[in-house]
Amino acid sequence: MAKAETYIGFAIKAGKLIRGSGAVENIKKTVYLLIADYNASENTKKLIMKFKNRFSCPLIYFKEDFEKSVNRAGCKVAAVLDENLARAICENPGDNVIYK
């Protein structure tokens, strides 16, 4: 398990990771990082880019095992609401991450 996935686990436990496009759509707080599944459909990727522009935050894609990493089946996007956890994920991406 890469460090990024460990930090995502911390974000889940702290309640600072919002999972799923519907939940991300309704966020009113500051988003510090978007995490997405690289294998998402083109329509989902367009939606993810809409979120990136709306929140003006970095975006990283997981090449594989995204659903397992965020502990939610069928999930294609997640948002990190904690600045320190977002920074830690970006600084320790591992081999499974692609920056966009």
Side-chain angles (χ1 to χ4, degrees):
M1 180 181 285
K3 284 188 179 181
E5 286 141 344
T6 301
Y7 288 119
I8 289 170
F10 293 155
I12 292 169
K13 287 182 182 179
K16 299 294 183 177
L17 187 76
I18 305 298
R19 297 170 283 184
S21 59
V24 172
E25 180 82 50
N26 294 319
I27 294 175
K28 303 290 186 229
K29 300 177 182 180
T30 302
V31 173
Y32 293 98
L33 175 66
L34 286 171
I35 308 167
D37 187 344
Y38 189 72
N39 298 313
S41 70
E42 289 306 312
N43 285 340
T44 301
K45 286 183 179 179
K46 287 178 188 176
L47 183 62
I48 291 165
M49 291 309 294
K50 179 181 135 185
F51 294 151
K52 181 183 184 326
N53 293 332
R54 175 177 155 202
F55 297 120
S56 299
C57 66
L59 167 64
I60 61 172
Y61 282 100
F62 271 58
K63 291 187 267 186
E64 53 191 35
D65 294 331
F66 178 75
E67 294 174 13
K68 181 180 172 190
S69 298
V70 298
N71 198 24
R72 175 81 39 99
C75 182
K76 299 298 178 190
V77 63
V80 180
L81 304 181
D82 183 88
E83 185 176 11
N84 293 322
L85 287 169
R87 185 179 313 114
I89 292 166
C90 288
E91 290 174 357
N92 301 285
D95 296 337
N96 194 25
V97 172
I98 300 170
Y99 282 94
K100 289 287 182 178

